[in-house]
Amino acid sequence: MRVVMLRTLGFSAAILASSTAFAVTLEGGAVAAPDQYGAQVAADILKKGGNAVDAAVATAFTLAVTYPEAGNIGGGGFMTLYMDGKAYFLDYREVAPKAATRNMYLDDKGEIIENLSLVGARAAGVPGTVMGLWEAHKKFGKLPWSELLTPAVGYAKNGFKVAEKQYQYREDAQGLFKDSTNFNDYFGQMKVGETFKQPELAQTLERIADKGVSEFYQGKTADLLVAQMQASNGLITKDDLKDYKALWREPMRIDWRGNVVYTAPLPSSGGIALAQLLGIKEQRAADFKGVELNSARYIHLLAEIEKRVFADRADYLGDPAFAKVPVAELVAPEYLAKRAKEVNPTAISETEKVRPGLEPHQTTHFSIVDKQGNAVSNTYTLNWDYGSGMVVKGAGFLLNDEMDDFSSKPGVANAFGVVGGDANAIEPGKRMLSSMSPSLVTRDGQVTLVLGTPGGSRIFTSIFQVLNNLYDYDLPLEKAVAAQRVHHQLLPKDTIYFDAYAPLTGEVAQELKKMGYTLEDQGWEMGDIQAIRVTGGKLETASDPRGRGVGQVVK
């Protein structure tokens, strides 16, 4: 195995899983999930004696029913696990269909065709969620597979109560999908406070519970998915489904201030980006000394660091099976030192001069810890709210629009405003670059923090800020999660994004504007952090007030 290692100022990063002597008993288990249904199902599974993976599988299938804007069986994701003292990473990201081509979203003039990579069957990559959950359960699960799907089947058959924010997102989706998908046939009747049932999805989940992973990839569900593709000009075939594999990878390891952060390796940009953010900030520690949290100086320093990370992301990162990604170089001490020297602590660096440094709306997350101290940090997605808007007729589930996460045209931004290059160009069988960063923090071999968030390109910058809030400013967990978050991603030039939950206003805003920044409310809430902290065997949870999540300690 190739090991990537760096050391600087007590900071190191490696793509490496470590094993330690492991014996811990906590006061119980804990879950932080994006809605009440997912949280309750996880708690019930933990009470029954299920472990963190059992609870994760049950929660993921439940959210596919009760959180249809992001929970899914028609999408994909990543899972970072800490089991019996060892870290693992499971990649169940979607892949491009075999019929996909580099220029499939361009017209005859070479320009991007609006929304083709976002809406409808052609936007969908081959789904990975069911395979990912199956692989996690096969390796670590204790309770029977069918038992873990029972709650999801019940919510699909008997219904769940529609949340207010869920309805708002549905209206946004209706505007995007209009008459180009069958979205309204399935979700047009959702109303706030009313019970919403999904009988076709219930039958699909019953088949998966009974027959396992083969049902989704080779059984009746696969037949229905392929039929939908053929009817709607999609690309996914029976061979695409049959050949899909979830991959166990070495997690990204970051040694940081006596802690170990385990997070996502490629094809997520999140782990490399988080290692760079933390490493460059350590190099510039003197700039942050005595700086008030979310002051103009603090936000400017974050922007200076983040813009360099995004410049590297755009040029170098992609699926490691298809692109030679210089991971070692990107997290090497001398490279981070060089990037840190480029930071201007008092003024905006010119965007045009921030180049790659080497020489040539909706995801969801949940965190779970069991009483043995095992942990799962899981982020999975359909990409945009309600994915492609295309529902598999007869099976009742939404398909992703992950193909938009490829670089459809080098230098042209995707739906999150992020540009990419050749390393992330569309190729058959390739995994599209992600920002999902399910993360765990350990100390002395035991889990101390589990966290993650949705938010597209905002994911790793949000996690970075929560870590700063906890470890630099000693905020209580709930306040660290609720605090103001900002985001800068190189382009648009000198633009700092904020959200309506904690707007960037007043004196701080005026100072930043005087420096030359444009401040923009991004129009959607910046993430939905779900976190669990373990201190001396005691558990606490925090669900982001930006969402409708629930945290629960299970005694």
Side-chain angles (χ1 to χ4, degrees):
M1 180 185 73
R2 183 179 178 219
V3 178
V4 178
M5 199 75 178
L6 72 89
R7 293 200 178 275
T8 175
L9 292 176
F11 173 93
S12 68
I15 298 179
L16 176 68
S18 69
S19 183
T20 11
F22 190 76
V24 62
T25 303
L26 307 179
E27 60 175 329
V31 56
D35 77 6
Q36 59 178 315
Y37 304 105
Q40 189 57 53
V41 165
D44 291 343
I45 294 296
L46 292 172
K47 285 175 186 173
K48 282 182 182 178
N51 64 16
V53 168
D54 292 322
V57 171
T59 298
F61 277 112
T62 296
L63 293 172
V65 179
T66 65
Y67 205 92
E69 61 267 43
N72 68 85
I73 60 173
F78 298 134
M79 187 183 289
T80 306
L81 308 92
Y82 199 74
M83 302 296 293
D84 299 323
K86 186 176 180 182
Y88 300 84
F89 183 83
L90 181 59
D91 169 4
Y92 58 97
R93 182 74 160 149
E94 302 91 334
V95 302
K98 290 180 171 66
T101 60
R102 183 184 178 102
N103 298 324
M104 62 186 284
Y105 299 120
L106 306 183
D107 62 20
D108 53 10
K109 294 178 182 175
E111 300 300 324
I112 287 179
I113 301 170
E114 187 178 12
N115 288 336
L116 192 59
S117 65
L118 282 172
V119 177
R122 215 169 182 79
V126 182
T129 293
V130 176
M131 183 68 78
L133 298 176
W134 177 265
E135 288 294 327
H137 180 261
K138 186 170 73 172
K139 194 173 184 76
F140 294 114
K142 287 170 59 182
L143 299 183
W145 171 260
S146 58
E147 185 177 332
L148 301 179
L149 274 78
T150 300
V153 171
Y155 283 123
K157 193 179 285 185
N158 303 320
F160 69 94
K161 190 176 285 188
V162 177
E164 192 169 332
K165 287 187 176 181
Q166 201 162 34
Y167 184 78
Q168 166 201 325
Y169 295 147
R170 183 189 66 83
E171 284 194 323
D172 292 343
Q174 281 182 310
L176 180 63
F177 302 138
K178 295 179 183 172
D179 301 321
S180 57
T181 72
N182 58 359
F183 179 80
N184 283 341
D185 296 344
Y186 286 83
F187 293 95
Q189 300 307 309
M190 285 177 74
K191 291 183 181 173
V192 177
E194 292 192 4
T195 299
F196 182 65
K197 299 179 181 180
Q198 299 167 83
E200 286 184 6
L201 180 56
Q203 291 172 11
T204 298
L205 292 169
E206 284 177 332
R207 292 194 300 272
I208 295 170
D210 183 43
K211 298 177 181 176
V213 73
S214 62
E215 163 58 30
F216 188 88
Y217 292 93
Q218 297 177 56
K220 180 179 178 180
T221 305
D223 292 340
L224 292 168
L225 197 162
V226 171
Q228 187 66 57
M229 287 287 124
Q230 293 170 344
S232 307
N233 197 31
L235 298 181
I236 298 171
T237 65
K238 285 190 176 182
D239 277 348
D240 285 318
L241 291 169
K242 180 173 64 70
D243 293 344
Y244 179 82
K245 298 285 188 293
L247 302 174
W248 289 99
R249 299 185 187 272
E250 296 295 344
M252 186 80 185
R253 170 183 169 139
I254 307 167
D255 287 293
W256 177 66
R257 302 185 187 178
N259 306 292
V260 180
V261 181
Y262 291 106
T263 188
L266 291 171
S268 175
S269 62
I272 292 170
L274 194 56
Q276 289 186 319
L277 290 167
L278 291 170
I280 296 171
K281 183 172 177 289
E282 290 291 280
Q283 291 272 1
R284 303 294 309 200
D287 295 327
F288 286 88
K289 194 170 183 181
V291 174
E292 186 181 340
L293 178 63
N294 290 323
S295 62
R297 182 174 174 82
Y298 177 83
I299 291 170
H300 166 68
L301 289 168
L302 291 193
E304 281 286 298
I305 295 169
E306 288 171 2
K307 69 202 301 181
R308 286 161 176 85
V309 171
F310 273 95
D312 285 348
R313 183 191 192 276
D315 222 56
Y316 302 127
L317 304 190
D319 184 342
F322 288 78
K324 189 175 180 181
V325 182
V327 178
E329 292 92 331
L330 288 169
V331 295
E334 60 273 14
Y335 179 69
L336 294 187
K338 173 191 163 191
R339 290 304 247 173
K341 283 177 184 174
E342 298 167 8
V343 168
N344 187 331
T346 57
I348 299 174
S349 300
E350 288 183 52
T351 298
E352 293 75 16
K353 292 183 179 177
V354 180
R355 299 192 177 279
L358 296 176
E359 298 303 329
H361 268 319
Q362 187 67 326
T363 304
T364 192
H365 178 90
F366 57 82
S367 299
I368 295 173
V369 174
D370 66 28
K371 66 181 180 180
Q372 280 78 39
N374 300 311
V376 169
S377 183
N378 187 86
T379 311
Y380 70 157
T381 185
L382 290 169
N383 194 32
W384 219 231
D385 287 327
Y386 298 101
S388 66
M390 181 60 69
V391 182
V392 175
K393 188 175 181 181
F397 65 90
L398 282 156
L399 289 166
N400 66 84
D401 58 351
E402 276 314 340
M403 293 296 286
D404 187 66
D405 271 0
F406 281 116
S407 177
S408 296
K409 182 179 179 181
V412 177
N414 69 4
F416 285 100
V418 177
V419 297
D422 289 341
N424 191 38
I426 301 169
E427 292 183 62
K430 187 175 184 179
R431 282 163 153 82
M432 57 291 290
L433 189 63
S434 175
S435 295
M436 292 184 288
S437 313
S439 300
L440 304 161
V441 180
T442 68
R443 194 173 185 94
D444 301 326
Q446 297 185 3
V447 171
T448 55
L449 184 68
V450 186
L451 80 166
T453 184
S457 59
R458 282 75 169 158
I459 290 175
F460 50 80
T461 58
S462 293
I463 291 172
F464 174 55
Q465 287 170 81
V466 172
L467 292 174
N468 292 342
N469 298 345
L470 288 169
Y471 293 92
D472 285 348
Y473 294 92
D474 297 319
L475 293 185
L477 186 62
E478 281 193 8
K479 288 187 176 177
V481 166
Q484 183 183 67
R485 293 198 283 271
V486 295
H487 177 79
H488 177 64
Q489 58 184 39
L490 185 64
L491 297 172
K493 180 182 174 182
D494 303 336
T495 299
I496 292 175
Y497 292 101
F498 61 90
D499 67 11
Y501 177 78
L504 193 47
T505 57
E507 190 177 325
V508 171
Q510 293 309 312
E511 283 185 53
L512 289 167
K513 286 176 183 176
K514 279 180 189 173
M515 292 181 74
Y517 285 110
T518 298
L519 309 183
E520 187 171 323
D521 182 340
Q522 64 181 25
W524 46 284
E525 286 165 344
M526 198 173 295
D528 188 15
I529 295 272
Q530 304 297 329
I532 299 170
R533 186 156 64 175
V534 186
T535 312
K538 299 292 184 185
L539 294 150
E540 62 177 317
T541 69
S543 286
D544 205 321
R546 292 165 179 81
R548 58 182 191 274
V550 173
Q552 194 171 336
V553 174
V554 184
K555 301 282 185 169

